[in-house]
Amino acid sequence: MENSQLVAIIERLDAMMKADTNEVQSRRFEREGQERGFVTYDPATQTFELEELATHQKFDFDDIDLAAMEIYDLLND
C-alpha cells in the first residue's frame, strides 16, 4: 500500500504551524517536478494562503484540513 498523500500534506502544513517563529512560513507543492501550488502560513492570523500557480488564484483557509484537501485536489488534477 502506498503512503497517504493527504497525511504527507497535513504533516507539512502542521510543521508550518508548529515552527518556533512569528515569521510567515512558506512551502511549495509539486507533482512530477512541476510546481502546482505555493502555500504560506501566517502565525499572526493563523491562516493558510494557497496560490494555484497555473491560474494565480489565491485561497485563504483557517482550517488545516480544508487547506490540505484543496492542496490534494490541486496535486491530483
Side-chain angles (χ1 to χ4, degrees):
M1 178 180 279
E2 275 187 51
N3 291 337
S4 170
Q5 284 183 304
L6 194 53
V7 169
I9 292 167
I10 290 173
E11 286 175 350
R12 292 183 70 191
L13 296 178
D14 190 50
M16 293 170 74
M17 292 175 63
K18 291 181 178 175
D20 191 22
T21 181
N22 288 329
E23 295 182 23
V24 173
Q25 300 290 308
S26 63
R27 301 286 186 279
R28 295 186 182 278
F29 287 85
E30 61 182 52
R31 176 77 179 214
E32 297 175 2
Q34 181 184 15
E35 287 185 10
R36 300 277 180 99
F38 183 73
V39 177
T40 57
Y41 176 73
D42 185 347
T45 60
Q46 297 182 343
T47 58
F48 294 96
E49 180 181 84
L50 167 63
E51 179 181 0
E52 292 185 4
L53 297 177
T55 63
H56 298 289
Q57 288 183 290
K58 294 183 180 182
F59 304 93
D60 293 323
F61 301 94
D62 61 1
D63 183 287
I64 191 171
D65 293 323
L66 295 176
M69 288 187 297
E70 189 66 30
I71 294 166
Y72 179 86
D73 287 344
L74 178 64
L75 295 176
N76 290 291
D77 276 347

